[in-house]
Amino acid sequence: NARPTKIAVAPEENIHFYDHNGWTLSYRHKAASQGYEQMEPILLIHPVGVGLSSWFWNNFFEEWKGPALYAPDLIGCGIQNGGDSWDPQERPLSFPLGWSKGCEALLEEQSHPSKYVVVAQGGLAPVAILLASRCPHAVSKLVLASPPTWEDMVTPIPEKEISQNYKFLTSKILGNLAFGLLESRWAIEFFSN
């Protein structure tokens, strides 16, 4: 069960929704500053982790003066903004392709006259790379901030390791304890700032 973390939204941000393949997804938007309306908009892909979503970019949104910003909540993230939660028992999802397709749907919905600059933080570099390769008509530039090594991006995690992690995180005692600690406001801010 998802327990959304309450994160303040800056007043100049607008949270919007779109549908993708049966998912209701949310995204934050900040309009272009005066004089920057014709510049390429920026799509910001947040890192993943317990409680993370587009709010990761709050400080960036607050300080930004420039072209329009779009920060989608990836599938299963942004529950506090009204996006759908994700339960892998109910609906399997392929990573990073599923998240990339969710971002692709947002680009298609916006149908901006110019291409986007896509910025991905950390381990979500594969999502941005897939998005750029699948949508060259919509992506002009790719910025990968602190990406993993190329070897880490192309080497699959052994299925046994994934299974062990899943069992641990879904266990009644240890999983609940881990999520309780990781979802605390302190932990989220500590790992995100």
Side-chain angles (χ1 to χ4, degrees), residues 3-73:
R3 288 166 270 169
T5 303
K6 299 293 182 201
I7 304 294
V9 175
E12 63 275 6
E13 290 180 47
N14 292 310
I15 295 180
H16 302 274
F17 299 92
Y18 66 105
D19 294 317
H20 163 64
N21 198 25
W23 299 97
T24 297
L25 302 174
S26 54
Y27 67 96
R28 293 171 194 247
H29 173 253
K30 183 174 184 176
S33 304
Q34 186 173 356
Y36 293 90
E37 299 87 355
Q38 300 306 312
M39 292 185 70
E40 295 174 324
I42 299 173
L43 181 80
L44 301 166
I45 300 175
H46 65 79
V48 292
V50 176
L52 284 176
S53 66
S54 62
W55 70 262
F56 174 84
W57 298 105
N58 274 0
N59 292 339
F60 190 83
F61 265 75
E62 288 173 19
E63 299 296 325
W64 182 251
K65 303 286 186 258
L69 297 177
Y70 294 86
D73 289 315

Side-chain angles (χ1 to χ4, degrees), residues 29 31 33-34 42 47 64 69 104 108 120-122 128 131 135 139-140 145 159 169-171 175 177 179 186-187 191:
H29 173 253
S33 304
Q34 186 173 356
I42 299 173
W64 182 251
L69 297 177
E104 189 177 327
E108 289 171 6
Q121 212 291 329
L131 181 62
C135 302
V139 177
S140 66
E159 197 168 319
L169 292 172
T170 57
S171 71
L177 178 63
F179 273 101
W186 173 86
F191 290 113

Side-chain angles (χ1 to χ4, degrees), residues 73-133:
D73 289 315
L74 300 174
I75 294 171
C77 305
I79 299 163
Q80 73 276 9
N81 294 334
D84 288 342
S85 63
W86 172 61
D87 182 344
Q89 295 284 356
E90 294 175 12
R91 191 167 182 190
L93 188 64
S94 173
F95 296 108
L97 183 59
W99 282 335
S100 182
K101 286 181 176 181
C103 293
E104 189 177 327
L106 176 60
L107 296 184
E108 289 171 6
E109 179 186 274
Q110 292 304 309
S111 64
H112 201 275
S114 62
K115 294 182 175 187
Y116 286 77
V117 174
V118 176
V119 178
Q121 212 291 329
L124 272 286
V127 173
I129 292 168
L130 268 173
L131 181 62
S133 71

